[in-house]
Amino acid sequence: MELHDVWFVLIAVLWTGYFFLEGFDFGVGVLTRLLARDRAEKRVLINTIGPVWDGNEVWLLTAGGATFAAFPEWYATLFSGFYLPLLAILVCLIVRGVAFEYRAKRPEENWQRNWETAIFWTSLLPAFLWGVAFGNIVRGVELDADFEYVGTVWDLLNPYALLGGLVTLTLFTFHGTVFTALKTVGEIRERARKLALKVGLVTAVLALVFLVWTQSESGDGASMVALGVAVVSLVAALGANQAGREGWSFTLSGVTIVAAVAMLFLTLFPNVMPSTLDPEWSLTVTNASSSPYTLKIMTWLAVIATPLVLLYQGWTYWVFRKRIGTQHIADPVH
């Protein structure tokens, strides 16, 4: 296996880790409107992800940085061709971070309600847009002989990509719902479990259609195995949720995300961005990669830094592992 193949796998792992962690993060943000009934319950939901949401976004920064360094041609084409949707995601992530920090700075109800609305929309929109973006990457876009995107933003809103957006939105919401059931106590925990069943059933239908569509277009034996794992783990997650085994349900919903993302990258390889105009104009792991020397230096840095990051983030989750409920919410102090 060449170094550019290794870095394709590593970037796939980084995106998988981002979707696994930020997935429940986005899902909880969506639940502030769907599940919480009052301000105290909204504070409970926000507090479940309060210590970890910013750490989860490190995976996105690392995935973007690794793509820039390992596959500069892919990075250039992706971020220029998908400029508007990626800009929308970036703005949402900025506003979302500000909303988490500023929401409790003033006691006025309008002030807090506006920031809570911002948290909802800036969680929902990226969850949808990431699916649209990756749907287009896997399906292929209009690249010319110079590897430049020559389509329009409306070409990105095709049925396959829009279905991908609905899949990531519902899957992340389901992931966030079982995470809420795992991290809370009392009535909100019970309602989260009931909502998880409803969201999970919708997710199962959409995901099955999307993954079968993907497999029929460009799948192989390995992607078929990943599809099977995704479907079985999602069904098992629903069963574990009904049995009240929140830990298993969350783990299995995470396995669903891992398997689904793995399937997308398996169907994509060896391309990194297929061209729908001419297969010869597709970006691949070979023609889009950096020099072997650059990839070699990056590999050594990754070997040293990655275990440290994983240990620190794992420690953070361990420290904040306990359940919370409305009885743990203190009166605001301004």
Side-chain angles (χ1 to χ4, degrees):
M1 180 180 285
E2 301 290 335
L3 278 179
H4 51 67
D5 297 328
V6 172
W7 273 98
F8 179 86
V9 174
L10 291 177
I11 288 173
V13 170
L14 290 171
W15 280 110
T16 302
Y18 173 67
F19 288 143
F20 181 97
L21 297 173
E22 193 83 314
F24 73 76
D25 196 325
F26 286 144
V28 172
V30 173
L31 291 180
T32 58
R33 181 69 64 89
L34 300 183
L35 183 65
R37 290 180 175 175
D38 53 33
R39 180 126 301 128
E41 290 189 349
K42 289 183 179 180
R43 290 180 64 189
V44 169
L45 291 175
I46 293 172
N47 285 357
T48 61
I49 59 174
V52 298
W53 68 266
D54 48 354
N56 294 344
E57 291 186 357
V58 170
W59 288 77
L60 172 61
L61 299 175
T62 308
T67 303
F68 171 77
F71 300 100
E73 193 73 50
W74 183 16
Y75 181 93
T77 302
L78 177 64
F79 280 78
S80 59
F82 291 20
Y83 180 80
L84 287 179
L86 292 179
L87 177 63
I89 291 174
L90 178 60
V91 171
C92 284
L93 294 180
I94 293 172
V95 174
R96 190 169 183 262
V98 174
F100 281 129
E101 299 297 332
Y102 274 56
R103 177 192 164 276
K105 296 298 184 183
R106 290 172 57 178
E108 291 88 347
E109 183 175 347
N110 285 341
W111 171 274
Q112 296 190 2
R113 184 170 58 245
N114 289 339
W115 285 120
E116 289 162 1
T117 300
I119 290 173
F120 170 76
W121 285 109
T122 57
S123 298
L124 184 149
L125 290 175
F128 175 75
L129 289 175
W130 279 126
V132 174
F134 270 83
N136 279 293
I137 291 173
V138 173
R139 170 182 172 271
V141 292
E142 298 177 2
L143 300 184
D144 62 14
D146 296 322
F147 306 129
E148 293 182 0
Y149 179 64
V150 294
T152 67
V153 67
W154 303 112
D155 295 325
L156 302 177
L157 303 178
N158 55 80
Y160 177 80
L162 291 174
L163 177 59
L166 292 176
V167 170
T168 52
L169 175 59
T170 54
L171 182 55
F172 291 170
T173 303
F174 173 69
H175 197 40
T177 308
V178 295
F179 176 79
T180 300
L182 176 65
K183 288 288 294 179
T184 58
V185 294
E187 184 183 354
I188 192 171
R189 174 189 176 190
E190 297 303 319
R191 279 191 279 115
R193 286 175 52 195
K194 292 178 182 178
L195 182 60
L197 176 62
K198 299 176 183 178
V199 176
L201 291 175
V202 174
T203 302
V205 174
L206 294 175
L208 182 61
V209 174
F210 179 73
L211 295 179
V212 170
W213 189 349
T214 304
Q215 178 67 24
S216 65
E217 291 287 335
S218 52
D220 56 14
S223 62
M224 188 66 188
V225 172
L227 187 157
V229 172
V231 171
V232 171
S233 58
L234 180 56
V235 173
L238 287 169
N241 174 73
Q242 287 300 100
R245 302 297 298 272
E246 290 98 346
W248 278 108
S249 183
F250 176 72
T251 301
L252 289 165
S253 69
V255 172
T256 303
I257 293 175
V258 171
V261 177
M263 180 189 174
L264 294 182
F265 276 94
L266 285 169
T267 58
L268 184 61
F269 184 82
N271 294 320
V272 294
M273 219 167 172
S275 173
T276 57
L277 298 179
D278 189 333
E280 295 297 322
W281 298 344
S282 297
L283 283 169
T284 68
V285 292
T286 304
N287 63 23
S289 70
S290 294
S291 67
Y293 183 69
T294 300
L295 296 178
K296 185 175 181 180
I297 294 176
M298 290 175 60
T299 302
W300 280 110
L301 291 174
V303 169
I304 296 171
T306 302
L308 299 176
V309 174
L310 292 176
L311 285 172
Y312 174 75
Q313 194 159 24
W315 176 79
T316 303
Y317 276 92
W318 175 255
V319 170
F320 296 100
R321 67 188 181 278
K322 296 195 175 184
R323 297 176 182 265
I324 62 173
T326 53
Q327 65 271 31
H328 301 115
I329 301 299
D331 293 332
V333 177
H334 300 279

